[in-house]
Amino acid sequence: MLNSIIEMFHSIIGAITGENDRKKIRGTVVLMKKNVLDFTDFRSSIIDRVYELVGKGVSLQLVSAVHDDPTNGLRGKVGKPAYLKGWITTITPSTATAGEESAFKVTFDHDAEIGQPGAFIIRNNHRSEFYLRTLTLADVPGHGRIHFVCNSWVYPAYKYDTDRVFFTNQAHLPSETPGPLRGYRESELVNLRGDGTGELKEWDRVYDYAYYNDLGNPDRHGKYARPVLGGSVEYPYPRRGRTGRPPSETDPNTESRLPLLMSLNIYVPRDERFGHIKMSDFLAYALKALVQFLLPEFEALCDSTPNEFDSFQDVFDLYEGFKVPDGPLLDKIKDNVPLEMLKELVRTDGEGFFKFPTPQVIKEDKSAWRTDKEFAREMLAGLNPVVIRRLKEFPQESKLDPKVYGNQNSSITKEHIENHLDGLTINKALEKKRLFILDHHDTLMPYLRRINTTSTKTYASRTVLFLKDDGTLKPLAIELSLPHPDGDKFGAVSKVYTPAEHGVEGSIWQLAKAYAAVNDSGYHQLLSHWLNTHAVIEPFVIATNRQLSVLHPINKLLDPHFRDTMNINALARQILINAGGVVESTVYPSKYAMEMSSVVYKNWVFTEQALPADLINRGMAEKDSDAPHGLRLVLDDYPYAVDGLEIWSAIETWVEDYCSFYYKTDEMVETDSELQSWWKELREEGHGDKKDEPWWPKMHTVKELIDTCTIIIWVASALHAAVNFGQYPYAGFLPNRPTISRRFMPEEGTPEYEELKSNPEKAFLKTITAQLQTLLGISLIEILSRHSSDEVYLGQRDTPEWTLDATPLRAFEIFGRKLADIEENIIKRNGDERFKNRVGPVKMPYTLLYPTSEGGLTGKGIPNSVSI
């Protein structure tokens, strides 16, 4: 009724003024009111209705793409304001799900001086923000339907210094931008860059750079001080998004930290925050609940040995359910964890029962994870399949400076392994490319002495493996090394362990594999996962938003691959990788974790992040023009590489088709002002500590652009999927992927050695990650291994009208079909018994590079971006 009265009122006014006689352009705006998401925003919702009644609603003005205004700096002529209709009467029902959108009508006067609209200005005169999805103009005279994809939060106009402008989804190179739109295009980029000063607020749309100087918390205690990562030769690092928070009181070089309860308020540009459906709140609150409320009370539940598992059955019980007794723990959980989060967090199957999902690695067989075959297989088809290398020399030589670290070469000798090479000599095995190594020695050794002053007691490891005739690998020897007690310059003190199945020797071999797995788990979490995907991609997100307009075709190509990355990284800095955070508590380098990742970044090379280059660099493939993808794998049954190369090739073809449509010549790349500014800033600012490296592409040719964009998309999508979504399936059972070792290998004649003989399970569990750290660790990786229900996967877009150009749309459709074919190929390979590394003793098919997935804990699916 109210809507009809308002419409009648407008009709009467229109008749009096003659407005009804003019041609109209009718439009539809789709948006989401904030109060749908925020039930505490009732007051603003009421105020908004009052503003509507007095004529201060939401106004839109069309901007001409063909006629400029000499009085406005030759920018496109701006039409008269039109207002959204029905704001008061479009009330989302109380039963609506979070994120429900509403459609509003808007009617513009047709003005021949505007002609074809190329943009529009929107002013939100309400007191609360809304999420603007699209504007569609139904029938623009002479131009038909025009669609604007916006996907942006629009705050009240008084929060902004300049107008919010949105463009049509037609891509334009800078030099081809319609003249009347160029000023708007340039001004929008200036706004997004900000001025580099002040603390940034939630409505700011500023993308800027900062060092990782927000990990430490010296104001809390000196033990929480951490070095600044980035901006120095000693600690180089990619840049993060600037928040502008003031320095800490104790150290002017360290940024002050937000209180834990304020974690969700850490600044990232509003459009970079998780969508309403995503589990961002769940992530932050779940971790907070674990750390603050659950962990202290779990100690009371530990049975005969506080803080220890007594047997593997104790670990299996985590997945079979254990009851929390009535009392302070259960009360605290109920008081502090919302019910819907409790269901996710603690697997509520009944009042007071805790239960984690059974990880795939023990779902079919509870003991197969302990076999040598599975231990080796996971280097090719597990959680960290990006480190194993072909052994090209024997013994393996160290690359550490002998003047500083003495002799760090491998102590594995011919006598250790030659009797297990199926009749081959070592030289023959090297020649036939049948020896491989998982080598964490050089990465860890410079930090090992300091790491072992913490509660961690571990080694630097090398594992040598042999390729059998059936295509599987078998471990031959594991070398465990410690720094020399007299000083680094005296080299390493090493001991070599070889396979054994029975008695105390078999138990010692299981422990040797556990120490190697601890090394690999830390390398995976800090380097393969955090550094090489999360951290290195963030500068690309920032540079793209600062230097490439939303009209730029390369922005349109890359933007989906940056979704949620800044937000998940900001949350990680707040609660995961910070001093005293979850990673320091659950991964062996402890307080040295991030510092160690900085040292490894010194060796990061952008061009080597391409999968073919990585495989060649590790000796796992050789160039062969006659082979698929131009590469021949030296190990045919390498699931990560086989599936990955198909994905890589599909991405590369798609990027080539897309870029070639917009860039017909190399000169077009060289003369693209935005593209050149983007690449310059990326090198000199985003990865500024690497700016002088000779390996950066020059960005002078179309091929360099294609190669660069292919690497960016590969890292953000498939590489991240390969090292992230297997965390719970493989490491949710922590004995398979322990993250910490707490004591050294038992020596004969000690009580620990006697315990190893009498109760090997208990001795094993007392060596690896403790009970409380296990509970925290598997809770974390369960959250991080889940897909949100609104995930957008490789080959998909969140809107079908992301560009108006038909040729790129067809190429993208072909890309999607190719990925579907690849998924079918992976399914077929997983069912082929010839490929023994694809399923293995644990009967767990390799699915991490399936392009698609449903939501939840699936162990498959490639999201477009580093989104969790």
Side-chain angles (χ1 to χ4, degrees):
M1 173 65 91
L2 180 59
N3 199 39
S4 299
I5 294 171
I6 293 171
E7 288 291 334
M8 186 184 301
F9 177 73
H10 284 300
S11 296
I12 294 170
I13 296 297
I16 294 171
T17 61
E19 289 287 320
N20 293 351
D21 299 328
R22 297 181 183 176
K23 288 185 180 178
K24 303 293 183 184
I25 299 174
R26 304 194 185 279
T28 302
V29 171
V30 177
L31 60 78
M32 179 173 55
K33 296 181 180 181
K34 183 194 175 188
N35 59 294
V36 172
L37 304 178
D38 186 351
F39 295 106
T40 66
D41 205 37
F42 183 72
R43 179 173 173 272
S44 290
S45 180
I46 295 298
I47 294 174
D48 288 351
R49 286 174 168 79
V50 173
Y51 273 57
E52 284 286 331
L53 288 171
V54 298
K56 288 190 174 181
V58 177
S59 71
L60 297 89
Q61 294 172 275
L62 299 180
V63 178
S64 176
V66 291
H67 299 298
D68 56 43
D69 182 353
T71 66
N72 188 27
L74 298 180
R75 295 185 178 206
K77 187 174 178 60
V78 178
K80 292 181 179 179
Y83 290 85
L84 291 191
K85 298 177 182 177
W87 186 277
I88 297 175
T89 55
T90 307
I91 302 174
T92 306
S94 59
T95 55
T97 57
E100 187 165 318
E101 295 168 347
S102 302
F104 296 85
K105 298 301 181 184
V106 61
T107 302
F108 300 90
D109 289 334
H110 174 247
D111 183 347
E113 288 295 309
I114 297 294
Q116 181 180 357
F120 71 91
I121 295 168
I122 188 167
R123 288 188 182 90
N124 173 11
N125 296 310
H126 292 154
R127 302 297 294 178
S128 60
E129 66 271 23
F130 55 79
Y131 186 75
L132 181 61
R133 177 71 72 187
T134 58
L135 165 64
T136 305
L137 304 180
D139 191 10
V140 178
H143 302 286
R145 179 179 179 274
I146 296 180
H147 188 63
F148 299 80
V149 176
C150 306
N151 290 337
S152 182
W153 285 94
V154 178
Y155 276 76
Y158 71 87
K159 298 282 192 183
Y160 298 126
D161 294 328
T162 56
D163 289 328
R164 291 299 312 274
V165 179
F166 293 93
F167 301 92
T168 64
N169 53 342
Q170 174 65 60
H172 293 290
L173 294 175
S175 61
E176 297 172 354
T177 306
L181 296 181
R182 286 182 184 173
Y184 292 103
R185 176 176 183 151
E186 292 163 4
S187 294
E188 179 71 355
L189 287 174
V190 170
N191 293 336
L192 291 171
R193 291 176 201 138
D195 62 8
T197 64
E199 183 170 358
L200 297 168
K201 305 299 182 184
E202 66 172 272
W203 52 84
D204 288 320
R205 303 170 55 237
V206 171
Y207 294 79
D208 203 355
Y209 303 99
Y211 301 139
Y212 277 72
N213 65 343
D214 62 341
L215 302 180
N217 191 359
D219 289 351
R220 181 181 174 190
H221 192 281
K223 69 179 181 179
Y224 295 109
R226 295 291 182 271
V228 174
L229 305 184
S232 67
V233 174
E234 186 177 11
Y235 298 121
Y237 221 63
R239 302 300 185 256
R240 63 167 174 95
R242 187 177 76 85
T243 68
R245 292 198 305 271
S248 65
E249 295 177 5
T250 310
D251 178 8
N253 294 319
T254 297
E255 187 171 278
S256 59
R257 291 187 56 78
L258 286 179
L260 191 62
L261 289 172
M262 300 292 288
S263 293
L264 287 181
N265 293 337
I266 189 168
Y267 174 79
V268 292
R270 186 66 178 89
D271 292 341
E272 300 298 331
R273 288 199 178 199
F274 292 155
H276 46 276
I277 297 174
K278 188 143 181 125
M279 54 182 178
S280 58
D281 290 10
F282 163 62
L283 170 65
Y285 282 121
L287 292 175
K288 182 184 69 178
L290 278 165
V291 175
Q292 289 196 182
F293 305 129
L294 304 186
L295 277 182
E297 278 73 22
F298 268 125
E299 293 190 58
L301 303 178
C302 302
D303 48 5
S304 63
T305 313
N307 206 25
E308 298 290 354
F309 292 112
D310 294 314
S311 67
F312 287 132
Q313 187 57 49
D314 283 355
V315 186
F316 294 136
D317 286 345
L318 296 176
Y319 318 107
E320 293 162 8
F322 60 96
K323 185 170 174 59
V324 181
D326 290 332
L329 174 60
L330 199 57
D331 292 342
K332 200 157 195 178
I333 291 171
K334 289 177 179 177
D335 290 343
N336 291 292
V337 184
L339 178 62
E340 64 275 13
M341 294 175 190
L342 184 66
K343 290 176 182 176
E344 284 295 318
L345 183 60
V346 296
R347 310 280 117 209
T348 314
D349 289 305
E351 186 70 16
F353 276 93
F354 278 50
K355 183 181 179 183
F356 292 97
T358 302
Q360 285 175 268
V361 76
I362 56 167
K363 189 169 282 186
E364 300 296 328
D365 187 321
K366 288 185 176 181
S367 62
W369 65 273
R370 303 192 74 180
T371 63
D372 288 358
K373 184 176 289 187
E374 180 62 22
F375 171 72
R377 183 190 81 92
E378 289 185 21
M379 300 178 198
L380 304 172
L383 182 53
N384 194 28
V386 295
V387 180
I388 188 171
R389 313 176 72 89
R390 179 164 59 86
L391 194 60
K392 299 179 180 179
E393 60 183 5
F394 189 87
Q396 176 72 27
E397 292 188 1
S398 171
K399 292 183 172 60
L400 294 175
D401 186 350
K403 294 177 183 176
V404 178
Y405 295 103
N407 179 13
Q408 295 288 337
N409 295 337
S410 176
S411 61
I412 299 174
T413 65
K414 170 183 174 181
E415 287 71 27
H416 288 121
I417 68 171
E418 195 157 63
N419 291 335
H420 305 282
L421 302 179
D422 292 358
L424 298 177
T425 64
I426 287 178
N427 287 339
K428 205 65 173 174
L430 289 170
E431 182 185 324
K432 288 181 169 290
K433 303 179 177 62
R434 294 182 68 174
L435 287 175
F436 297 83
I437 188 168
L438 186 72
D439 188 353
H440 294 302
H441 181 99
D442 285 3
T443 300
L444 191 53
M445 184 56 75
Y447 276 87
L448 193 53
R449 193 184 301 277
R450 282 174 282 173
I451 288 171
N452 283 339
T453 64
T454 69
S455 58
T456 293
K457 299 292 179 280
T458 197
Y459 302 90
S461 69
R462 292 183 176 108
T463 303
V464 173
L465 307 102
F466 176 69
L467 176 61
K468 297 165 62 179
D469 290 337
D470 66 357
T472 63
L473 294 174
K474 69 174 180 181
L476 301 174
I478 295 174
E479 175 191 64
L480 302 179
S481 304
L482 289 170
H484 197 284
D486 294 334
D488 290 348
K489 66 181 181 181
F490 293 98
V493 176
S494 303
K495 191 167 183 179
V496 177
Y497 299 88
T498 54
E501 293 184 13
H502 306 292
V504 70
E505 291 81 7
S507 300
I508 287 173
W509 174 244
Q510 290 296 329
L511 278 178
K513 290 193 294 182
Y515 288 118
V518 166
N519 273 199
D520 198 55
S521 292
Y523 190 99
H524 161 261
Q525 199 62 269
L526 296 170
L527 307 173
S528 303
H529 182 204
W530 167 257
L531 175 66
N532 288 341
T533 62
H534 284 261
V536 301
I537 281 293
E538 186 161 358
F540 288 92
V541 183
I542 299 170
T544 300
N545 281 280
R546 285 169 56 88
Q547 300 295 343
L548 296 180
S549 164
V550 292
L551 291 167
H552 200 290
I554 301 304
N555 182 305
K556 290 183 179 292
L557 172 67
L558 296 179
D559 180 69
H561 304 289
F562 298 150
R563 182 187 189 219
D564 295 339
T565 301
M566 289 187 74
N567 202 166
I568 190 63
N569 286 3
L571 286 173
R573 298 196 313 272
Q574 182 67 11
I575 53 181
L576 296 183
I577 61 174
N578 58 300
V582 178
V583 168
E584 287 194 358
S585 302
T586 59
V587 181
Y588 70 84
S590 187
K591 63 182 287 186
Y592 301 105
M594 292 301 291
E595 184 180 329
M596 200 169 88
S597 75
S598 166
V599 172
V600 172
Y601 176 66
K602 292 178 180 180
N603 298 319
W604 181 80
V605 177
F606 173 73
T607 51
E608 290 180 3
Q609 307 313 300
L611 178 61
D614 169 58
L615 293 171
I616 291 170
N617 188 47
R618 290 189 284 120
M620 302 301 288
E622 296 172 336
K623 289 183 179 179
D624 184 344
S625 57
D626 296 327
H629 321 296
L631 286 184
R632 181 173 50 81
L633 293 173
V634 300
L635 202 164
D636 292 336
D637 188 11
Y638 184 0
Y640 163 73
V642 173
D643 298 356
L645 283 170
E646 289 196 0
I647 299 289
W648 168 270
S649 180
I651 294 171
E652 186 177 45
T653 300
W654 150 239
V655 172
E656 182 175 3
D657 290 345
Y658 182 88
C659 291
S660 299
F661 176 76
Y662 295 101
Y663 295 92
K664 305 300 184 187
T665 65
D666 292 341
E667 184 184 9
M668 293 179 71
V669 172
E670 282 197 88
T671 57
D672 183 334
S673 57
E674 286 184 6
L675 187 71
Q676 294 302 322
S677 296
W678 170 70
W679 194 237
K680 183 177 189 293
E681 181 173 287
L682 188 282
R683 297 190 327 268
E684 296 182 0
E685 298 288 339
H687 282 278
D689 299 329
K690 293 280 189 178
K691 64 183 178 182
D692 296 323
E693 297 286 1
W695 40 255
W696 284 110
K698 304 299 183 187
M699 204 53 71
H700 290 166
T701 66
V702 178
K703 185 179 187 309
E704 286 179 322
L705 175 61
I706 292 167
D707 291 346
T708 295
C709 291
T710 302
I711 292 172
I712 294 168
I713 294 172
W714 163 260
V715 170
S717 60
L719 178 60
H720 179 257
V723 298
N724 182 76
F725 293 102
Q727 290 187 85
Y728 195 83
Y730 287 99
F733 181 68
L734 218 61
N736 184 53
R737 297 281 303 178
T739 58
I740 290 174
S741 52
R742 296 176 287 148
R743 61 185 192 181
F744 293 122
M745 183 74 80
E747 297 289 341
E748 197 166 355
T750 63
E752 291 80 9
Y753 191 86
E754 292 305 311
E755 182 181 50
L756 189 64
K757 288 202 297 186
S758 62
N759 194 342
E761 278 192 17
K762 189 170 185 177
F764 182 94
L765 291 167
K766 285 172 74 172
T767 300
I768 64 166
T769 317
Q771 190 175 39
L772 295 184
Q773 291 162 318
T774 295
L775 292 170
L776 176 58
I778 64 177
S779 299
L780 169 65
I781 62 174
E782 183 195 348
I783 294 163
L784 299 183
S785 300
R786 287 180 172 272
H787 294 294
S788 62
S789 57
D790 67 342
E791 193 63 82
V792 183
Y793 296 93
L794 193 63
Q796 301 175 356
R797 294 268 175 153
D798 59 4
T799 174
E801 296 186 76
W802 58 274
T803 182
L804 288 180
D805 294 316
T807 300
L809 285 173
R810 283 195 298 271
F812 189 68
E813 186 180 336
I814 293 169
F815 177 47
R817 290 201 299 267
K818 178 62 177 175
L819 290 171
D821 292 342
I822 291 171
E823 190 161 312
E824 288 299 316
N825 294 342
I826 294 173
I827 292 169
K828 288 177 184 176
R829 285 194 290 269
N830 284 345
D832 191 329
E833 294 184 359
R834 293 176 302 164
F835 302 129
K836 301 189 184 313
N837 295 324
R838 299 203 70 92
V839 176
V842 293
K843 301 180 179 65
M844 179 181 175
Y846 186 71
T847 58
L848 291 175
L849 289 176
Y850 273 34
T852 60
S853 173
E854 59 277 8
L857 194 63
T858 65
K860 62 182 180 180
I862 303 175
N864 269 325
S865 60
V866 179
S867 58
I868 191 67

